[in-house]
Amino acid sequence: MVQKWAPLVWLAPGEKFFPIEVTHFLRYVTVPSKDGEFQTLPIGPKSEQMFLVTKSNIDDLLQDATSVIYGQNPNITNVPVYAFISECGCQHFHVTYWFFFPYSQGKTMCTLDMGMLGPVPIPHFNNQCFGSLREYGSHVGDWEHTSFMFKGKEEPEEMYVSAHDAGAFYKYDSNAKVFVFSRQEIRKGFIQRPTFPPTVTLFTDKNGFHPILFAARGSHGLWTAPGKHKYVRLPRLYDVSGYGTPWKTWNQIEILNISRKLPQWMYFLGKWGNPREKCHPLSRMGINICQITDGPSGIPKKRQNFVCDEIPELATNNAGK
């Protein structure tokens, strides 16, 4: 059932930053310590304040089109999707499909240098920037996801699609064979107000019924239709998605089940990328405006979109067993 309903993800036209296999990514990052670097990946509570840092400078990696930062084209390499399963009962479970990208590209904004205040975003006039274009919000490491709840049937009852710090719930209509929008949520902050399309259609083949999703160019936020999606009103930030590279995620699924042995990297509780740098002067006052922001937390630190009555926690003392 996890394979049968795995989504078809369209990467956007012009996408440069493809997904990547986690174990491949880990070869190109390290965890700095006071005494140099850890030789093995730290796990458990001691890793919570740590960062996976690229062994090479980010600017150098961006200049090399073959570097790890550009990921692996899923049409050339079988890049896995990570299906994290929580079992609730007999044929009652929820699954989150996690997609990992080595780099998330931020948004380019028109700015005006205000001296001690630093660059301040200003609007375009007649589609022209009369200041300087600067890219903010890029980060190493990028976890994106969509979740499904199954309740004893061969088809899901509900689907959740995540886009940045917001997301939408869709109910499955078994008669029409589509997912229908039911509600949305803002997980963090208040400036995100995206509009989610009303339905999600399916791609059907001999392997199953696959919801069609669209990963935004550069940022990889997931949308349920192609096009230009405004998700922040001020400053105006948009995601652009479309029919670029198809990623048939059911071809390579790695199952992560908390009742079974998990890979070692699932117990790393720190940040999956470099710490922030090239920050705006206002960042000293607690306003997080950086050209490179902190890498994201990993799967164990994410809130699940569907829950059972009781879900066991990841037991760090079982790591590696």
Side-chain angles (χ1 to χ4, degrees):
M1 291 170 68
V2 170
Q3 184 182 41
K4 178 180 178 180
W5 290 92
L8 169 62
V9 178
W10 280 97
L11 304 173
E15 179 62 77
K16 296 186 295 183
F17 301 103
F18 288 106
I20 198 170
E21 182 182 9
V22 164
T23 53
H24 185 76
F25 171 78
L26 290 175
R27 299 171 193 162
Y28 296 89
V29 294
T30 186
V31 181
S33 71
K34 295 179 181 178
D35 302 318
E37 299 175 352
F38 286 94
Q39 297 304 307
T40 58
L41 186 67
I43 60 173
K46 68 180 181 182
S47 66
E48 284 188 314
Q49 304 303 317
M50 297 177 180
F51 289 82
L52 294 177
V53 179
T54 52
K55 295 179 181 179
S56 300
N57 180 275
I58 295 177
D59 290 334
D60 293 338
L61 292 171
L62 291 171
Q63 292 296 318
D64 180 3
T66 65
S67 75
V68 65
I69 221 78
Y70 289 96
Q72 300 165 312
N73 187 325
N75 279 356
I76 300 174
T77 304
N78 278 333
V79 184
V81 59
Y82 299 93
F84 185 68
I85 298 173
S86 293
E87 298 179 61
C88 307
C90 182
Q91 288 192 328
H92 180 190
F93 68 96
H94 55 95
V95 55
T96 300
Y97 299 91
W98 287 99
F99 318 105
F100 184 67
F101 297 80
Y103 190 75
S104 176
Q105 187 176 27
K107 301 300 182 184
T108 300
M109 291 186 283
C110 184
T111 64
L112 184 65
D113 197 329
M114 301 294 287
M116 293 183 64
L117 290 177
V120 175
I122 61 173
H124 287 71
F125 295 96
N126 295 325
N127 293 322
Q128 286 188 307
C129 174
F130 291 96
S132 300
L133 291 173
R134 294 174 184 264
E135 190 175 279
Y136 287 96
S138 299
H139 53 86
V140 174
D142 186 18
W143 286 102
E144 304 291 344
H145 74 284
T146 182
S147 303
F148 295 77
M149 171 60 86
F150 292 85
K151 289 189 175 180
K153 298 180 181 179
E154 290 292 321
E155 57 196 27
E157 180 174 287
E158 198 169 10
M159 174 176 70
Y160 179 86
V161 180
S162 173
H164 305 292
D165 289 320
F169 291 89
Y170 287 81
K171 291 282 189 179
Y172 184 62
D173 184 332
S174 58
N175 293 321
K177 303 296 183 185
V178 296
F179 286 88
V180 180
F181 176 85
S182 61
R183 68 193 190 281
Q184 72 177 67
E185 67 167 6
I186 307 298
R187 297 195 302 272
K188 182 179 177 183
F190 60 90
I191 62 174
Q192 301 213 33
R193 289 293 182 271
T195 299
F196 289 93
T199 60
V200 181
T201 56
L202 302 178
F203 169 77
T204 305
D205 68 356
K206 64 180 180 180
N207 296 301
F209 306 93
H210 311 289
I212 303 173
L213 304 178
F214 298 84
R217 185 172 64 234
S219 69
H220 313 122
L222 294 176
W223 300 92
T224 54
K228 188 175 183 180
H229 311 276
K230 181 171 67 176
Y231 65 95
V232 172
R233 295 182 179 180
L234 186 68
R236 292 183 179 180
L237 297 181
Y238 296 88
D239 269 351
V240 177
S241 64
Y243 295 95
T245 302
W247 183 10
K248 297 179 179 181
T249 64
W250 57 92
N251 286 337
Q252 190 72 18
I253 298 177
E254 184 170 331
I255 299 292
L256 304 174
N257 191 325
I258 54 180
S259 64
R260 302 174 187 175
K261 180 179 177 180
L262 293 170
Q264 192 85 346
W265 55 262
M266 275 290 290
Y267 298 95
F268 175 75
L269 304 181
K271 300 289 189 178
W272 281 72
N274 296 25
R276 66 181 189 172
E277 59 179 271
K278 301 178 182 178
C279 294
H280 193 283
L282 290 177
S283 294
R284 303 189 191 101
M285 301 170 61
I287 301 174
N288 187 15
I289 307 174
C290 301
Q291 292 185 47
I292 299 294
T293 62
D294 285 351
S297 56
I299 296 174
K301 304 289 285 186
K302 305 290 191 184
R303 179 173 65 86
Q304 299 195 63
N305 306 115
F306 301 108
V307 295
C308 306
D309 294 333
E310 183 177 349
I311 301 175
E313 297 292 331
L314 283 178
T316 54
N317 59 338
N318 286 334
K321 292 186 178 180

